[in-house]
Amino acid sequence: MDYSIFPIFISMILTLSTSVNGQAIGSPNLSPAPAPGPEYTNLAELLSVTGPFHTFLDYLESTKVIDTFQNQANTTKEGITLFVPKDSAFSKLKKPSLSNLTADQLKSLCLFHALPHYYSLADFKNLSKISPVYTFAGGELYSLNFTDVSGTVHLTSGWTNTKVSSAVRATYPVAVYQVDKVLLPEAIFGTDIPPTPAPVVDIAPDADSPDADNGKAIPVASPDSTSLSSSHRMMTWGVSNNLFLAIAGGFLMFL
């Protein structure tokens, strides 16, 4: 029996097997590499190095709200939008005061400064059409109104009227915007909002005024008083003149 045909026969079987399986022997079945996800964002680190936000960051950490925001930023597809007041905004806030708030109210105040969705600056133009927008704190009394004025984003909560003064970060899934005032919700501070005082108008003396330097008015004689004074002087002069002529005439009679 001729065994020389066995190698050829085995080679044919292997070729047929690889054709049926649709892949070559020895070639691994490689799956495509997964697309890289968004870079992890450390909000505490971001706020500590990008601006004067230490007071707000202290509130976020003391209330544990920073953990809620961190989870929203890094584990959801919605992302997050933060409105961060500067340190000076807290120092200027005299009334109402935050010192009398309970722990729950302070937590709600922090949640009120975020939206559970990522919004770029361009998105606020459309967002202004659907205001009010619920914040992370939830509910109508924890909502914000947005208006876009020539590219500047304005926010109002009833108690607070402010604007976005700068974009600290605006890269999906995290947007952080600086605001100049602390956002105060009606749910905590009530709906009895004091009216905004009217601006005081300081009326300065007219520069052309005769006494503009010392601010005192100089009395001006009226035309009637001037006319009476002139008539009085003329009458006095006439009486004196007649008296002089009478005395002179009497003196001549004795000569």
Side-chain angles (χ1 to χ4, degrees), residues 9-64:
F9 181 72
I10 293 174
S11 177
M12 292 175 62
I13 293 176
L14 291 176
T15 302
L16 180 62
S17 176
T18 55
S19 299
V20 172
N21 292 333
Q23 64 180 28
I25 294 177
S27 299
N29 186 14
L30 300 177
S31 59
E39 182 181 355
Y40 180 85
T41 302
N42 188 323
L43 292 177
E45 181 179 352
L46 177 66
L47 295 180
S48 64
V49 300
T50 55
F53 307 131
H54 302 292
T55 303
F56 185 63
L57 179 58
D58 288 343
Y59 281 126
L60 293 180
E61 292 178 335
S62 64
T63 58
K64 306 299 182 183

Side-chain angles (χ1 to χ4, degrees), residues 148-161:
D148 184 283
V149 181
S150 301
T152 300
V153 180
H154 293 257
L155 305 80
T156 177
S157 67
W159 281 86
T160 307
N161 292 294

